Amino acid sequence: MKSTFEKYVPFVPIALPNRTWPGRQITNAPVWCSVDLRDGNQALVDPMNVSEKLELFHTLVGIGLKEIEVGFPSASETEFEFIRALIEGGHIPDDVTIQVLVQARAHLIKRTFEAIRGAKNVILHFYNSTSTLQRKVVFRMDMDGIIQIAVEAAGLIRELSKPAIEAGVNLRYEYSPESFMGTEMDNAVLICQRVMEELRATPENRVILNLPSTVENCMPNYFADEIEYFISKLPNRESAIISLHPHNDRGCGVATAEMGLLAGAERIEGTLFGNGERTGNVDLVTLAMNLYTQRVDPRLDFSDINKIREVFERVTKMRIGERQPYVGELVFTAFSGSHQDAINKGFKYMQESESELWEVPYLPIDPADVGRQYEPIIRINSQSGKGGSAFIMQQNFGYDLPKAMHPEFGAVVQKETDRVGKELKPERIYELFQAEYVDIDAPYRLIRHSFAETTDAEGNSHVSFAGTLAHKDTVFDVSGEGNGPIDAFFNAIRGQKMDRFTFVDYKEHAIRSGSDSMAVAYIHLRGLDGKDVFGVGISHNISLAPLRGILSAINRAKKQEAK
Ligand code: KIV
Ligand code: ZN
């Protein structure tokens, strides 16, 4: 690409040495405007039909959008029909304003007024292109000519508004100097000023000045400089609402919107999941949720993001990527072992400390806040570490494996992931656990047993154990005494071939199994060779569970020796 990059014209930033926006913070949600039904729709391979548009409209209302651009009624019959269906069908709640787009051309403006008849709240949005490139290549016109187009359109709109306003429509105006980002800033100010004058903008009747990055062509900080400059030069600024309409050609739409807000913008136009022309419009979901994670109420509701995604994918026939912020299939999943471990600790910390703050590493947001679940957070593949499998056992099945056992079980799972070469689902991890620790009854098996327990005057307990064990086909009886079931059992097997282990540690807890409660015991033994081995026993009987755990550990050690 060495010889071809030279044909591009780099963006020339404006000089703004005393910029103030980098030191500011976003403390309030902007006014949101969805352009899904216009900008988003016009960029679809198969544009939505009327019923699909209606469904998406109701979804947008459900999310809490109060300003919704519903179409470009002069552009096609379907667009016109949809707007009529919305109005005549009584679909628009009283607190929602519909917005209609039109080019700054007389016959299109007239048709647009026909489309909005009978609506309660309307933003009439008109635009013409103002950039240096469009003036040179498309319109072959100087700036005066471009200003004249906008001002004449504004005059006609004001004229045609009178009967609509008299008929009770709450009508507001929006003007977009299309391709604002590539317009000389003084020209952008001038055209907006003239349009505002023509529309008789006042602080009571503010005109929305929508500043689009029609094609994103510079870094977000340069765009923010433009916005700060524009606002500082705009006469009668308090009679305008500064709106942004970022596209995403450089992949910086979200940053452009956020920095533009820092620079003084008050309103954002965008789409769900960043649908729209080419690389899309700015993604309203990411913007809103970014605010949410900074403890700013976005005033949009994404608490059931999967439902919104389902509607979006069905009506637009677009697919959301696995890594799309806040919604993608994989965004609440950690593959890396160290991430899994830290997430595990974060959940534990929150539980123990009863913290009301979200303090879980690697998860910028609580998945539950967008209706996602904890279960799929950790998935196990060959990149996962020792803690991940134990976490799955705890989160999904209630088994709280002792920390010392994590590496051993991690290695069991790792072997399987290496063998199958893909991710393991929690159910498979459970199966591996059962097969490795629970369903292991060879070579030693406990056939029958009994305990007798007495407690002396000081409260010390004394346990006698008697049992019948099998080693392959040989059956033998053992008995022993101790201060508890484990001690008594160990004493009972002393002298047998199975006694070459020392007891290191033990942990037991209850798990629910259907409506039943079971005891699960984890036994940690050390062989004469110094090797550690773990066993797990499960039983309704809390004294029997550890015995099964001991046999599980011994049987596992024998199996390993045999290899
Ligand atoms: O991207 C753009 O400039 C537009 C305008 C019509 C606002 O969609
Ligand atoms: Zn656009």
Side-chain angles (χ1 to χ4, degrees):
M1 296 178 84
K2 217 170 174 182
S3 57
T4 49
F5 72 87
E6 287 170 346
K7 68 172 175 274
Y8 293 103
V9 184
F11 181 85
V12 182
I14 57 165
L16 194 67
N18 298 321
R19 61 180 66 77
T20 59
W21 64 263
R24 298 202 199 126
Q25 262 189 319
I26 305 174
T27 51
N28 282 309
V31 173
W32 305 109
C33 174
S34 150
V35 293
D36 290 84
L37 293 159
R38 195 275 301 172
D39 219 343
N41 184 54
Q42 79 188 34
L44 295 176
V45 178
D46 285 324
M48 286 175 267
N49 61 31
V50 170
S51 78
E52 288 167 337
K53 279 189 155 197
L54 258 183
E55 186 175 358
L56 188 55
F57 177 81
H58 286 300
T59 301
L60 294 167
V61 170
I63 290 168
L65 283 142
K66 301 294 179 204
E67 297 184 4
I68 303 176
E69 190 165 274
V70 289
F72 197 151
S74 61
S76 83
E77 264 318 294
T78 320
E79 298 274 294
F80 191 92
E81 242 179 66
F82 170 62
I83 291 163
R84 293 312 308 155
L86 270 184
I87 298 168
E88 286 164 18
H91 293 287
I92 311 165
D94 284 353
D95 63 347
V96 170
T97 300
I98 56 164
Q99 180 167 308
V100 283
L101 181 73
V102 62
Q103 274 176 6
R105 295 168 72 184
H107 68 291
L108 302 180
I109 291 170
K110 285 178 191 150
R111 181 79 176 140
T112 305
F113 272 93
E114 285 166 29
I116 60 169
R117 233 178 315 114
K120 189 160 189 252
N121 304 301
V122 178
I123 295 171
L124 202 131
H125 177 190
F126 67 109
Y127 74 96
N128 65 330
S129 255
T130 56
S131 70
T132 328
L133 181 66
Q134 294 250 18
R135 289 189 334 249
K136 181 171 112 180
V137 174
V138 183
F139 300 103
R140 297 172 185 253
M141 208 181 251
D142 62 12
M143 195 60 206
D144 286 345
I146 299 287
I147 293 176
Q148 197 184 338
I149 292 172
V151 172
E152 278 174 9
L156 178 63
I157 286 168
R158 212 172 70 81
E159 195 55 39
L160 296 177
S161 296
K162 284 176 191 157
I165 293 169
E166 272 163 25
V169 184
N170 171 22
L171 189 59
R172 293 192 285 144
Y173 307 123
E174 172 169 334
Y175 171 66
S176 291
E178 203 229 54
S179 56
F180 162 85
M181 211 167 176
T183 306
E184 306 83 346
M185 278 306 105
D186 292 330
N187 279 337
V189 171
L190 186 60
I191 196 166
C192 289
Q193 177 192 350
R194 298 290 306 284
V195 165
M196 284 172 71
E197 285 164 4
E198 190 64 28
L199 292 172
R200 313 288 191 268
T202 65
E204 293 72 41
N205 284 310
R206 296 199 285 166
V207 166
I208 300 169
L209 294 179
N210 186 48
L211 309 177
S213 58
T214 303
V215 176
E216 185 179 59
N217 66 350
C218 72
M219 296 202 309
N221 56 316
Y222 293 152
F223 182 76
D225 279 355
E226 287 191 340
I227 300 300
E228 183 164 327
Y229 181 90
F230 176 92
I231 291 175
S232 71
K233 296 286 176 189
L234 183 72
N236 204 5
R237 191 262 172 265
E238 61 289 352
S239 299
I241 294 170
I242 305 298
S243 175
L244 306 179
H245 178 108
H247 279 266
N248 197 36
D249 298 81
R250 294 167 54 96
C252 302
V254 167
T256 293
E258 289 177 337
M259 291 189 191
L261 288 176
L262 290 177
E266 304 150 279
R267 182 180 185 271
I268 299 283
E269 291 190 354
T271 56
L272 296 180
F273 311 120
N275 183 35
E277 286 284 8
R278 305 178 307 279
T279 51
N281 290 69
V282 72
D283 173 12
L284 292 182
V285 182
T286 302
L287 276 178
M289 294 311 297
N290 283 358
L291 287 180
Y292 184 84
T293 63
Q294 300 308 302
R295 212 193 277 182
V296 175
D297 180 359
R299 291 187 283 115
L300 293 180
D301 182 354
F302 292 111
S303 57
D304 190 358
I305 208 158
N306 284 351
K307 175 79 191 113
I308 296 166
R309 171 195 175 143
E310 187 277 315
V311 173
F312 171 84
E313 292 195 326
R314 184 159 40 76
V315 300
T316 63
K317 292 146 203 107
M318 298 286 291
R319 288 288 158 260
I320 290 175
E322 279 96 334
R323 307 225 179 259
Q324 173 94 4
Y326 302 108
V327 64
E329 188 72 32
L330 296 179
V331 300
F332 300 114
T333 304
F335 286 89
S336 137
S338 63
H339 292 204
Q340 292 172 1
D341 196 43
I343 290 170
N344 197 353
K345 287 183 174 132
F347 279 124
K348 237 190 178 132
Y349 169 79
M350 292 208 27
Q351 220 167 31
E352 284 164 8
S353 66
E354 294 177 13
S355 170
E356 291 191 347
L357 303 176
W358 180 249
E359 296 179 289
V360 179
Y362 297 111
L363 285 180
I365 177 181
D366 182 349
D369 290 354
V370 285
R372 297 283 293 260
Q373 305 205 350
Y374 292 132
E375 289 99 292
I377 286 171
I378 294 194
R379 298 160 66 162
I380 301 299
N381 63 12
S382 59
Q383 303 303 304
S384 312
K386 53 189 164 55
S389 307
F391 182 76
I392 291 281
M393 288 303 294
Q394 202 209 333
Q395 285 289 304
N396 295 52
F397 307 108
Y399 287 75
D400 191 10
L401 275 59
K403 188 130 187 55
M405 188 178 166
H406 292 191
E408 192 194 85
F409 181 49
V412 169
V413 174
Q414 181 97 35
K415 201 168 148 206
E416 178 68 358
T417 56
D418 287 342
R419 190 184 70 79
V420 295
K422 60 178 188 183
E423 175 208 329
L424 300 186
K425 295 275 182 274
E427 291 66 32
R428 180 70 189 126
I429 290 166
Y430 180 76
E431 280 170 14
L432 288 173
F433 179 82
Q434 288 287 322
E436 181 69 29
Y437 294 100
V438 184
D439 304 334
I440 174 158
D441 60 356
Y444 289 101
R445 202 155 36 90
L446 181 63
I447 297 173
R448 69 183 80 86
H449 77 284
S450 65
F451 282 114
E453 183 169 2
T454 52
T455 310
D456 66 19
E458 279 80 46
N460 303 314
S461 76
H462 183 85
V463 174
S464 308
F465 169 84
T468 305
L469 288 163
H471 177 257
K472 297 182 182 163
D473 295 334
T474 315
V475 174
F476 56 99
D477 291 328
V478 292
S479 61
E481 319 223 317
N483 54 17
I486 296 176
D487 193 32
F489 182 70
F490 257 93
N491 289 333
I493 61 174
R494 182 151 302 139
Q496 302 291 338
K497 277 195 189 142
M498 58 194 292
D499 77 344
R500 287 169 305 175
F501 296 93
T502 52
F503 179 83
V504 181
D505 207 358
Y506 148 83
K507 171 174 170 174
E508 188 163 1
H509 66 77
I511 42 164
R512 294 207 75 75
S513 140
S515 56
D516 258 6
S517 182
M518 306 265 274
V520 52
Y522 309 89
I523 302 289
H524 183 177
L525 303 183
R526 186 161 295 145
L528 295 178
D529 54 3
K531 268 198 193 150
D532 285 359
V533 65
F534 290 84
V536 178
I538 300 174
S539 172
H540 286 291
N541 180 332
I542 56 166
S543 301
L544 181 57
L547 305 198
R548 288 189 171 157
I550 294 166
L551 289 174
S552 151
I554 294 171
N555 285 336
R556 290 188 65 245
K558 296 279 175 202
K559 199 167 136 192
Q560 283 160 19
E561 270 170 27
K563 278 184 188 165

